[in-house]
Amino acid sequence: MGKRRKPSPPSRARLAVLTTAVAGGAVLASGTAHAEPAPTLASVKEQVDRLNEEAEQAIERFNGFQEKQQKLQGEANRIQEKVARGQEAMNELRTQLGVVGAEQYRNNGIDPGIQLMLDSDPASYLGRASVQDQVAGSWTDLLKRAQDEQRKLDQERTEAAATLADLDAVGASLNAQKNQIQSKLAQSEALLNKLSAEERAKINAQEAADKAKAAAQQAAAAERAKAAEKEAADKAKAAAGKETAGKGGTPAPQTPAASTPAPAASTPAPPAAGGRAAAIVQFAYAQLGKPYGWSRTGPSSFDCSGLTGAAYRAADVSLPRTSQEQWKVGTRIGRGDLQPGDLVFFYPDLHHVGVYIGDGKMIHAPRTGKNIEVLPIGVMPYMGAVRP
């Protein structure tokens, strides 16, 4: 076989061509990477809304873990106090056992039969023997009590260890949720910081327009419902008049149709004093303009479930800490039967809640960077209502 020829090294000209091609590709790739279009205001708003919603979900989970942590801490403290009291009782029993044991050793060191034979006063010995029997009985009772106390103490220590382990696990979950919340809020803030003041103003204006549109839609729906209700009442009244005329009676005089009612005010007035619902709604009105604060329950700032819980406390009603748990309290109310003071819930996982104030509106704590406000319930995905 002939020897293989080694490939000849590329010429300088060929190397120059290859180098130019690679460099050109790198330039093209670099140019492509920098050619990404700037995000639109709509896409930034969508991302910010999504991040804030995810943050609120994490906040409600944080609130739940925090409430559980507080309960577990109270339980752990209670059990540890029981353990301390049990240990004191055991120490006292051990002291008593030592005293009785020493006495029994002193008195029972010699066989009772030999003691009787050697004793110069058998009657005196028999008296002492009776006392010794009593001492033996006390020893048995003390020993049984000590065994029972030790078993109880061991059980309480096991219970305390399990509770403390649960407390550590909840604490870890709490920190994880806190980190997630802070990460979501930081991402949202970073996106907003990339916008100019003018662009931020446009986003705020869009939010205001969305709220106004939802309010107008709700007002129109309410007017249609009132018109339908009036039409039904008029038909029923006309039918009743015809029935009366057919029987020879005089039909009641027809009153002129009422004029179309004036549109409701943009924000319903708080109800007059009196009753539980009034206390709830009046408290909610008093918080308008205060800042949202995640995991806060007042008095200077609130998150959504913190606000509803505080409003109900003003009416001497205790609610669970999270929106999901508040959903489980009380009677479910249809949308058409809403009354001021009812709790209204949003999103499929029920992570947002507000206080209904009438006219299709609620007072709620929206999200970080916003203040407590009045908002139409149609702005967010409405899931239902509860009357605790």
mmCIF file of all heavy atoms in Angstrom, residues 81-110:
data_model
loop_
_atom_site.group_PDB
_atom_site.id
_atom_site.type_symbol
_atom_site.label_atom_id
_atom_site.label_comp_id
_atom_site.label_asym_id
_atom_site.label_seq_id
_atom_site.Cartn_x
_atom_site.Cartn_y
_atom_site.Cartn_z
ATOM 1 N N GLU A 81 -44.048 24.359 78.664
ATOM 2 C CA GLU A 81 -44.403 24.680 80.056
ATOM 3 C C GLU A 81 -44.864 23.423 80.792
ATOM 4 O O GLU A 81 -44.536 23.224 81.961
ATOM 5 C CB GLU A 81 -45.507 25.737 80.073
ATOM 6 C CG GLU A 81 -45.024 27.136 79.693
ATOM 7 C CD GLU A 81 -46.166 28.133 79.564
ATOM 8 O OE1 GLU A 81 -47.325 27.740 79.836
ATOM 9 O OE2 GLU A 81 -45.901 29.287 79.194
ATOM 10 N N LYS A 82 -45.631 22.572 80.107
ATOM 11 C CA LYS A 82 -46.061 21.303 80.711
ATOM 12 C C LYS A 82 -44.853 20.422 81.024
ATOM 13 O O LYS A 82 -44.793 19.783 82.074
ATOM 14 C CB LYS A 82 -47.007 20.566 79.761
ATOM 15 C CG LYS A 82 -48.426 21.101 79.740
ATOM 16 C CD LYS A 82 -49.284 20.379 78.712
ATOM 17 C CE LYS A 82 -49.433 18.911 79.021
ATOM 18 N NZ LYS A 82 -50.301 18.220 78.031
ATOM 19 N N VAL A 83 -43.896 20.382 80.097
ATOM 20 C CA VAL A 83 -42.679 19.587 80.322
ATOM 21 C C VAL A 83 -41.927 20.112 81.541
ATOM 22 O O VAL A 83 -41.457 19.332 82.375
ATOM 23 C CB VAL A 83 -41.784 19.606 79.065
ATOM 24 C CG1 VAL A 83 -40.400 19.022 79.380
ATOM 25 C CG2 VAL A 83 -42.439 18.820 77.930
ATOM 26 N N ALA A 84 -41.809 21.439 81.655
ATOM 27 C CA ALA A 84 -41.100 22.025 82.798
ATOM 28 C C ALA A 84 -41.809 21.679 84.116
ATOM 29 O O ALA A 84 -41.155 21.325 85.109
ATOM 30 C CB ALA A 84 -41.003 23.540 82.626
ATOM 31 N N ARG A 85 -43.161 21.773 84.115
ATOM 32 C CA ARG A 85 -43.905 21.426 85.334
ATOM 33 C C ARG A 85 -43.757 19.940 85.650
ATOM 34 O O ARG A 85 -43.606 19.542 86.810
ATOM 35 C CB ARG A 85 -45.379 21.780 85.167
ATOM 36 C CG ARG A 85 -45.669 23.271 85.165
ATOM 37 C CD ARG A 85 -47.148 23.550 85.348
ATOM 38 N NE ARG A 85 -47.959 22.975 84.282
ATOM 39 C CZ ARG A 85 -48.284 23.617 83.178
ATOM 40 N NH1 ARG A 85 -47.863 24.859 82.962
ATOM 41 N NH2 ARG A 85 -49.047 23.037 82.257
ATOM 42 N N GLY A 86 -43.779 19.099 84.617
ATOM 43 C CA GLY A 86 -43.602 17.660 84.826
ATOM 44 C C GLY A 86 -42.231 17.326 85.363
ATOM 45 O O GLY A 86 -42.084 16.440 86.215
ATOM 46 N N GLN A 87 -41.215 18.057 84.885
ATOM 47 C CA GLN A 87 -39.855 17.808 85.384
ATOM 48 C C GLN A 87 -39.733 18.204 86.851
ATOM 49 O O GLN A 87 -39.089 17.495 87.648
ATOM 50 C CB GLN A 87 -38.852 18.601 84.547
ATOM 51 C CG GLN A 87 -37.391 18.264 84.844
ATOM 52 C CD GLN A 87 -37.073 16.809 84.582
ATOM 53 O OE1 GLN A 87 -37.205 16.335 83.464
ATOM 54 N NE2 GLN A 87 -36.675 16.085 85.623
ATOM 55 N N GLU A 88 -40.392 19.307 87.234
ATOM 56 C CA GLU A 88 -40.389 19.706 88.649
ATOM 57 C C GLU A 88 -41.063 18.651 89.511
ATOM 58 O O GLU A 88 -40.579 18.315 90.606
ATOM 59 C CB GLU A 88 -41.112 21.048 88.804
ATOM 60 C CG GLU A 88 -40.344 22.243 88.257
ATOM 61 C CD GLU A 88 -41.136 23.529 88.366
ATOM 62 O OE1 GLU A 88 -42.251 23.501 88.941
ATOM 63 O OE2 GLU A 88 -40.654 24.565 87.871
ATOM 64 N N ALA A 89 -42.195 18.105 89.033
ATOM 65 C CA ALA A 89 -42.896 17.059 89.787
ATOM 66 C C ALA A 89 -42.024 15.819 89.920
ATOM 67 O O ALA A 89 -41.978 15.182 90.987
ATOM 68 C CB ALA A 89 -44.211 16.714 89.092
ATOM 69 N N MET A 90 -41.314 15.455 88.843
ATOM 70 C CA MET A 90 -40.438 14.295 88.899
ATOM 71 C C MET A 90 -39.301 14.503 89.882
ATOM 72 O O MET A 90 -38.933 13.593 90.649
ATOM 73 C CB MET A 90 -39.856 14.011 87.507
ATOM 74 C CG MET A 90 -40.729 13.153 86.624
ATOM 75 S SD MET A 90 -41.116 11.539 87.338
ATOM 76 C CE MET A 90 -39.489 10.869 87.616
ATOM 77 N N ASN A 91 -38.732 15.700 89.893
ATOM 78 C CA ASN A 91 -37.646 15.988 90.837
ATOM 79 C C ASN A 91 -38.125 15.864 92.281
ATOM 80 O O ASN A 91 -37.422 15.322 93.149
ATOM 81 C CB ASN A 91 -37.096 17.388 90.584
ATOM 82 C CG ASN A 91 -36.383 17.493 89.247
ATOM 83 O OD1 ASN A 91 -35.984 16.482 88.666
ATOM 84 N ND2 ASN A 91 -36.226 18.710 88.749
ATOM 85 N N GLU A 92 -39.347 16.343 92.536
ATOM 86 C CA GLU A 92 -39.903 16.248 93.885
ATOM 87 C C GLU A 92 -40.151 14.791 94.276
ATOM 88 O O GLU A 92 -39.849 14.375 95.399
ATOM 89 C CB GLU A 92 -41.210 17.049 93.954
ATOM 90 C CG GLU A 92 -41.813 17.095 95.354
ATOM 91 C CD GLU A 92 -43.091 17.920 95.401
ATOM 92 O OE1 GLU A 92 -43.359 18.648 94.429
ATOM 93 O OE2 GLU A 92 -43.810 17.803 96.403
ATOM 94 N N LEU A 93 -40.687 14.006 93.338
ATOM 95 C CA LEU A 93 -40.918 12.591 93.618
ATOM 96 C C LEU A 93 -39.609 11.846 93.869
ATOM 97 O O LEU A 93 -39.528 10.972 94.743
ATOM 98 C CB LEU A 93 -41.663 11.946 92.447
ATOM 99 C CG LEU A 93 -43.172 12.214 92.381
ATOM 100 C CD1 LEU A 93 -43.746 11.720 91.058
ATOM 101 C CD2 LEU A 93 -43.889 11.523 93.542
ATOM 102 N N ARG A 94 -38.582 12.181 93.114
ATOM 103 C CA ARG A 94 -37.286 11.516 93.323
ATOM 104 C C ARG A 94 -36.723 11.836 94.711
ATOM 105 O O ARG A 94 -36.122 10.981 95.358
ATOM 106 C CB ARG A 94 -36.307 11.963 92.235
ATOM 107 C CG ARG A 94 -36.572 11.287 90.890
ATOM 108 C CD ARG A 94 -35.599 11.731 89.849
ATOM 109 N NE ARG A 94 -35.845 11.067 88.577
ATOM 110 C CZ ARG A 94 -35.806 11.655 87.405
ATOM 111 N NH1 ARG A 94 -35.529 12.952 87.334
ATOM 112 N NH2 ARG A 94 -36.038 10.971 86.292
ATOM 113 N N THR A 95 -36.922 13.074 95.145
ATOM 114 C CA THR A 95 -36.477 13.436 96.499
ATOM 115 C C THR A 95 -37.214 12.600 97.545
ATOM 116 O O THR A 95 -36.605 12.058 98.490
ATOM 117 C CB THR A 95 -36.727 14.936 96.752
ATOM 118 O OG1 THR A 95 -35.995 15.682 95.781
ATOM 119 C CG2 THR A 95 -36.275 15.332 98.146
ATOM 120 N N GLN A 96 -38.539 12.493 97.376
ATOM 121 C CA GLN A 96 -39.332 11.706 98.319
ATOM 122 C C GLN A 96 -38.932 10.235 98.288
ATOM 123 O O GLN A 96 -38.836 9.574 99.341
ATOM 124 C CB GLN A 96 -40.820 11.841 98.000
ATOM 125 C CG GLN A 96 -41.387 13.240 98.218
ATOM 126 C CD GLN A 96 -42.844 13.320 97.845
ATOM 127 O OE1 GLN A 96 -43.602 12.384 98.074
ATOM 128 N NE2 GLN A 96 -43.244 14.442 97.267
ATOM 129 N N LEU A 97 -38.690 9.696 97.077
ATOM 130 C CA LEU A 97 -38.257 8.307 96.963
ATOM 131 C C LEU A 97 -36.919 8.082 97.669
ATOM 132 O O LEU A 97 -36.691 7.041 98.306
ATOM 133 C CB LEU A 97 -38.142 7.924 95.489
ATOM 134 C CG LEU A 97 -39.457 7.628 94.757
ATOM 135 C CD1 LEU A 97 -39.219 7.534 93.258
ATOM 136 C CD2 LEU A 97 -40.076 6.329 95.270
ATOM 137 N N GLY A 98 -36.028 9.063 97.571
ATOM 138 C CA GLY A 98 -34.733 8.935 98.243
ATOM 139 C C GLY A 98 -34.888 8.875 99.748
ATOM 140 O O GLY A 98 -34.242 8.056 100.424
ATOM 141 N N VAL A 99 -35.757 9.724 100.293
ATOM 142 C CA VAL A 99 -35.977 9.747 101.742
ATOM 143 C C VAL A 99 -36.570 8.428 102.214
ATOM 144 O O VAL A 99 -36.110 7.808 103.177
ATOM 145 C CB VAL A 99 -36.900 10.920 102.123
ATOM 146 C CG1 VAL A 99 -37.317 10.823 103.587
ATOM 147 C CG2 VAL A 99 -36.200 12.248 101.848
ATOM 148 N N VAL A 100 -37.649 7.951 101.500
ATOM 149 C CA VAL A 100 -38.309 6.699 101.894
ATOM 150 C C VAL A 100 -37.367 5.514 101.711
ATOM 151 O O VAL A 100 -37.321 4.597 102.543
ATOM 152 C CB VAL A 100 -39.602 6.509 101.071
ATOM 153 C CG1 VAL A 100 -40.226 5.151 101.343
ATOM 154 C CG2 VAL A 100 -40.601 7.608 101.394
ATOM 155 N N GLY A 101 -36.602 5.530 100.650
ATOM 156 C CA GLY A 101 -35.670 4.431 100.416
ATOM 157 C C GLY A 101 -34.606 4.349 101.505
ATOM 158 O O GLY A 101 -34.258 3.259 101.971
ATOM 159 N N ALA A 102 -34.086 5.492 101.900
ATOM 160 C CA ALA A 102 -33.075 5.495 102.962
ATOM 161 C C ALA A 102 -33.668 4.988 104.273
ATOM 162 O O ALA A 102 -33.031 4.211 105.010
ATOM 163 C CB ALA A 102 -32.522 6.907 103.137
ATOM 164 N N GLU A 103 -34.917 5.418 104.558
ATOM 165 C CA GLU A 103 -35.582 4.964 105.787
ATOM 166 C C GLU A 103 -35.813 3.471 105.753
ATOM 167 O O GLU A 103 -35.591 2.767 106.748
ATOM 168 C CB GLU A 103 -36.917 5.711 105.929
ATOM 169 C CG GLU A 103 -37.681 5.402 107.190
ATOM 170 C CD GLU A 103 -36.981 5.922 108.443
ATOM 171 O OE1 GLU A 103 -36.143 6.838 108.317
ATOM 172 O OE2 GLU A 103 -37.254 5.401 109.532
ATOM 173 N N GLN A 104 -36.224 2.960 104.607
ATOM 174 C CA GLN A 104 -36.470 1.524 104.506
ATOM 175 C C GLN A 104 -35.171 0.745 104.650
ATOM 176 O O GLN A 104 -35.138 -0.317 105.287
ATOM 177 C CB GLN A 104 -37.127 1.220 103.150
ATOM 178 C CG GLN A 104 -37.634 -0.224 103.039
ATOM 179 C CD GLN A 104 -38.283 -0.483 101.709
ATOM 180 O OE1 GLN A 104 -37.692 -0.181 100.682
ATOM 181 N NE2 GLN A 104 -39.489 -1.040 101.720
ATOM 182 N N TYR A 105 -34.107 1.288 104.088
ATOM 183 C CA TYR A 105 -32.827 0.593 104.212
ATOM 184 C C TYR A 105 -32.387 0.520 105.670
ATOM 185 O O TYR A 105 -31.911 -0.509 106.143
ATOM 186 C CB TYR A 105 -31.769 1.301 103.374
ATOM 187 C CG TYR A 105 -30.400 0.687 103.502
ATOM 188 C CD1 TYR A 105 -30.084 -0.476 102.788
ATOM 189 C CD2 TYR A 105 -29.438 1.245 104.347
ATOM 190 C CE1 TYR A 105 -28.833 -1.058 102.924
ATOM 191 C CE2 TYR A 105 -28.189 0.666 104.475
ATOM 192 C CZ TYR A 105 -27.893 -0.489 103.757
ATOM 193 O OH TYR A 105 -26.669 -1.070 103.898
ATOM 194 N N ARG A 106 -32.577 1.649 106.395
ATOM 195 C CA ARG A 106 -32.167 1.657 107.804
ATOM 196 C C ARG A 106 -32.996 0.679 108.632
ATOM 197 O O ARG A 106 -32.482 -0.012 109.500
ATOM 198 C CB ARG A 106 -32.318 3.067 108.377
ATOM 199 C CG ARG A 106 -31.238 4.040 107.960
ATOM 200 C CD ARG A 106 -31.252 5.275 108.833
ATOM 201 N NE ARG A 106 -32.501 6.001 108.730
ATOM 202 C CZ ARG A 106 -32.723 6.956 107.825
ATOM 203 N NH1 ARG A 106 -31.782 7.268 106.942
ATOM 204 N NH2 ARG A 106 -33.878 7.584 107.787
ATOM 205 N N ASN A 107 -34.277 0.609 108.368
ATOM 206 C CA ASN A 107 -35.152 -0.220 109.194
ATOM 207 C C ASN A 107 -35.218 -1.671 108.751
ATOM 208 O O ASN A 107 -35.533 -2.550 109.549
ATOM 209 C CB ASN A 107 -36.578 0.346 109.186
ATOM 210 C CG ASN A 107 -36.643 1.693 109.890
ATOM 211 O OD1 ASN A 107 -35.857 1.970 110.780
ATOM 212 N ND2 ASN A 107 -37.588 2.536 109.477
ATOM 213 N N ASN A 108 -34.930 -1.933 107.511
ATOM 214 C CA ASN A 108 -35.069 -3.301 106.992
ATOM 215 C C ASN A 108 -33.735 -3.936 106.636
ATOM 216 O O ASN A 108 -33.688 -4.883 105.866
ATOM 217 C CB ASN A 108 -35.965 -3.303 105.745
ATOM 218 C CG ASN A 108 -37.400 -2.934 106.091
ATOM 219 O OD1 ASN A 108 -37.749 -2.877 107.265
ATOM 220 N ND2 ASN A 108 -38.225 -2.696 105.067
ATOM 221 N N GLY A 109 -32.700 -3.401 107.197
ATOM 222 C CA GLY A 109 -31.386 -3.957 106.878
ATOM 223 C C GLY A 109 -31.214 -5.378 107.403
ATOM 224 O O GLY A 109 -30.467 -6.168 106.871
ATOM 225 N N ILE A 110 -31.925 -5.763 108.548
ATOM 226 C CA ILE A 110 -31.834 -7.114 109.131
ATOM 227 C C ILE A 110 -33.148 -7.825 108.891
ATOM 228 O O ILE A 110 -34.218 -7.208 108.903
ATOM 229 C CB ILE A 110 -31.554 -7.034 110.659
ATOM 230 C CG1 ILE A 110 -30.247 -6.268 110.893
ATOM 231 C CG2 ILE A 110 -31.467 -8.415 111.274
ATOM 232 C CD1 ILE A 110 -29.958 -6.031 112.363
#
